[in-house]
Amino acid sequence: MDSAPVYDAELLDKVTNLAKRRGFIFQSAEIYGGFRSTYDYGPLGVNMLRNVKQAWWRSMVQLRSDIVGLDAAILGPSAIWAASGHLETFTDPLVDCKKCKERWREDKIDGVCPNCGSTEFTEPRAFNLMFKTQAGPVEGEGATAYLRPETAQGMFTNFANVLSTTRKKPPFGIAQIGKSFRNEITPQNFVFRTREFEQMEMEYFVPPAEAQEWYRYWVEARFRWYVDLGIPEDQLRLHEHAPEDLSHYSKGTTDVEFAFPWGWDELEGVANRGDYDLAQHANASGVALYYFDQASGERYRPYVIEPAAGATRAMMAFLMSAYHEDTIEGETRTVLRLDWRLAPYQIAVLPLSKKPELEGVSGEVLDMLRPHFMCDYDVTQSIGRRYRRQDEVGTPYCITVDFDTLNDRAVTVRDRDTTAQVRVPLDELLAHVQQRTGPRSA
Ligand code: GAP
């Protein structure tokens, strides 16, 4: 797991360009010169990001009976962030380069300004990463509020609500996907570190004596999730934090790391948070946050194991890992070898010609497949070009409707990875694709 992968220094540029050119990810506010570090997800990107989140939700919530979902508010009062420790400790050390005046995170620059090479900086200042705002219409009079810097606190503040409404007992988890905001000093590397991003977090509440066992379980399960969705094992590794590097709440943290073009970097952190969060919120709110086991009469405060992933960061890793250039019949093509569950479109329907005769039957194919798969429909350009365009965005199957279809009621199905083509009767088409992908509800 620890072997060094081969880094492709150009991969970041290639994926960034492809993402923009094909409508995955755009610079936000581009027509106004761009708003640094914020991105908009285009027609293909929004499909893929939804698929990443859906794959996580399916494995965390849909396929399990011990985890339930939550969608908590993004805006929160100071009280939450005072109790969680974020007001006091969620800071980065900020320094200014004395020569070029650029601002940096002191711990990220190795003593040399990445912009001008100077080694002279101001003294580090602690900079809180939370975005502060105000609730209420009159400036200066409303209550201070914060945009959440993590989704996790919603699960702790709703612990008692979820417990009493679902009747779960430890070990059980609460999962949430949603936006988080951090005023990062040095956002960088495309969507790897941005000020607005999406997290997929799950807080798993366990009897304290079982915490270590569940911590190991979730480290392994989360590593496997990325492998199952197509990232080769040699592009992933586990990195256990040394005790002196642990966050203020953690009794142990292991990161799942991906071989990004700039080196190994974090995809997700799995932490044993002990009872830190429930204890803090119980003390600050005065509400008892315990689990009471009626069978044994035992009352205890569960420990929490937290797998915390970034949805936008995971999407970037899936794109990078899937990006390939290969040669087909002497021609170089770009292909995203995305798992079908993540691809923006699973199917493209491509009538061989724009002639109206093919429209009716193409519509029939779309009506048959659309309830089950996200389908693209493209009638422009030559068929060869259209295959390349679909390969480049990772569409696993292209279905070509031609003039023979009108007689034999069959279509050609082309496989993205092998480029092999087979003729399939229309009445077997859905089963044919589902055999290769598995069923999927719309
Ligand atoms: N509740 C724990 C927590 O939030 P974290 O390691 O700070 O832990 C979890 O964040 C994950 O969220 C990271 O592993 C990363 O994937 C994602 N993430 C954090 N900050 C991010 C940022 N500025 N931009 C994009 N993703 C980010």
Side-chain angles (χ1 to χ4, degrees), residues 150 182 184 192-194 197 199 201 266-267 306 310:
E150 60 172 17
R182 297 182 188 179
E184 301 279 3
F192 179 81
R193 181 174 295 110
T194 50
F197 55 99
Q199 289 189 306
E201 297 196 285
E266 176 184 336
L267 266 185
E306 175 196 67

Side-chain angles (χ1 to χ4, degrees), residues 94-104 106 109-125:
L94 171 103
V95 291
D96 294 329
C97 171
K98 285 192 173 164
K99 200 165 155 209
C100 73
K101 312 289 181 220
E102 275 287 322
R103 293 211 151 140
W104 304 105
E106 191 198 22
I109 55 172
D110 280 338
V112 179
C113 174
N115 190 40
C116 71
S118 163
T119 52
E120 287 196 50
F121 297 96
T122 56
E123 283 300 306
R125 284 164 289 156

Side-chain angles (χ1 to χ4, degrees), residues 4 14 17 43 47 50 60 89 94 101 127 138 151 188 190 203 211-212 235 246 274 279 296 306 309 340 350 360 415:
K14 287 177 177 172
N17 290 340
N47 282 355
R50 286 174 76 116
M60 284 294 190
T89 58
L94 171 103
K101 312 289 181 220
F127 173 75
V138 183
T151 56
Q188 61 197 156
F190 195 34
E203 310 302 322
Q212 200 54 20
Q235 292 175 13
L246 293 175
S296 67
E306 175 196 67
W340 70 272
L350 311 173
D415 179 291

Side-chain angles (χ1 to χ4, degrees), residues 4 39-40 62 67 91 95 105 141 186 192 197 206 208 220 230 233 237 239 396 421 423 431:
Y39 292 91
D40 298 341
Q62 186 178 342
I67 303 180
T91 57
V95 291
R105 248 173 85 171
E141 285 182 13
T186 40
F192 179 81
F197 55 99
V206 301
E220 176 64 20
E233 283 199 32
R237 74 171 188 187
H239 168 240
Q421 303 189 10
R423 195 84 182 156

Side-chain angles (χ1 to χ4, degrees), residues 26-289:
F26 306 124
Q27 174 70 63
S28 196
E30 199 176 8
I31 61 168
Y32 293 103
F35 187 47
R36 194 172 166 217
S37 161
T38 51
Y39 292 91
D40 298 341
Y41 288 71
L44 272 69
V46 69
N47 282 355
M48 182 170 171
L49 186 58
R50 286 174 76 116
N51 290 342
V52 170
K53 292 185 284 186
Q54 173 57 23
W56 187 89
W57 196 260
R58 184 177 156 82
S59 82
M60 284 294 190
V61 181
Q62 186 178 342
L63 298 180
R64 305 183 63 110
S65 42
D66 56 347
I67 303 180
V68 292
L70 180 77
D71 192 356
I74 288 173
L75 271 180
S78 309
I80 292 182
W81 309 106
S84 69
H86 283 80
L87 272 180
E88 199 171 329
T89 58
F90 197 55
T91 57
D92 277 342
L94 171 103
V95 291
D96 294 329
C97 171
K98 285 192 173 164
K99 200 165 155 209
C100 73
K101 312 289 181 220
E102 275 287 322
R103 293 211 151 140
W104 304 105
R105 248 173 85 171
E106 191 198 22
D107 55 329
K108 292 279 177 192
I109 55 172
D110 280 338
V112 179
C113 174
N115 190 40
C116 71
S118 163
T119 52
E120 287 196 50
F121 297 96
T122 56
E123 283 300 306
R125 284 164 289 156
F127 173 75
N128 195 293
L129 299 182
M130 284 195 294
F131 282 97
K132 193 176 184 175
T133 186
Q134 180 193 275
V138 183
E139 196 154 337
E141 285 182 13
T144 299
Y146 292 88
L147 299 188
R148 66 182 176 198
E150 60 172 17
T151 56
Q153 296 305 319
M155 278 79 103
F156 302 127
T157 55
N158 280 291
F159 172 77
N161 284 337
V162 173
L163 206 56
S164 66
T165 52
T166 64
R167 304 191 165 271
K168 293 282 172 205
K169 63 180 283 206
F172 82 99
I174 310 177
Q176 178 170 206
I177 298 177
K179 291 241 175 171
S180 293
F181 301 81
R182 297 182 188 179
N183 201 357
E184 301 279 3
I185 299 165
T186 40
Q188 61 197 156
N189 291 335
F190 195 34
V191 296
F192 179 81
R193 181 174 295 110
T194 50
R195 297 199 169 112
E196 176 176 345
F197 55 99
E198 274 195 274
Q199 289 189 306
M200 309 183 287
E201 297 196 285
M202 195 275 290
E203 310 302 322
Y204 201 69
F205 299 93
V206 301
E210 296 174 20
Q212 200 54 20
E213 185 190 324
W214 282 111
Y215 170 59
R216 291 279 151 227
Y217 169 91
W218 282 110
V219 168
E220 176 64 20
R222 294 304 305 146
F223 183 91
R224 289 282 139 216
W225 184 78
Y226 294 97
V227 175
D228 174 56
L229 285 169
I231 301 188
E233 283 199 32
D234 63 0
Q235 292 175 13
L236 293 166
R237 74 171 188 187
L238 295 174
H239 168 240
E240 187 150 11
H241 290 212
E244 62 273 19
D245 295 336
L246 293 175
S247 313
H248 61 278
Y249 52 75
S250 178
K251 291 184 182 307
T253 298
T254 298
D255 290 342
V256 181
E257 294 188 334
F258 175 70
F260 283 99
W262 56 90
W264 290 110
D265 217 332
E266 176 184 336
L267 266 185
E268 159 160 7
V270 182
N272 176 356
R273 298 178 72 119
D275 68 351
Y276 175 83
D277 306 274
L278 290 182
Q280 290 288 106
H281 286 299
N283 290 340
S285 67
V287 175
L289 297 176

Side-chain angles (χ1 to χ4, degrees), residues 308-350:
T312 36
R313 193 178 285 187
M315 172 168 157
M316 183 174 168
F318 285 122
L319 280 174
M320 293 194 155
S321 176
Y323 186 97
H324 288 85
E325 288 165 3
D326 61 16
T327 309
I328 300 288
E329 291 153 12
E331 231 189 274
T332 307
R333 70 163 180 169
T334 300
V335 54
L336 288 186
R337 296 190 197 279
L338 287 171
D339 185 282
W340 70 272
R341 290 167 290 181
L342 301 181
Y345 296 112
Q346 283 78 49
I347 288 171
V349 176
L350 311 173

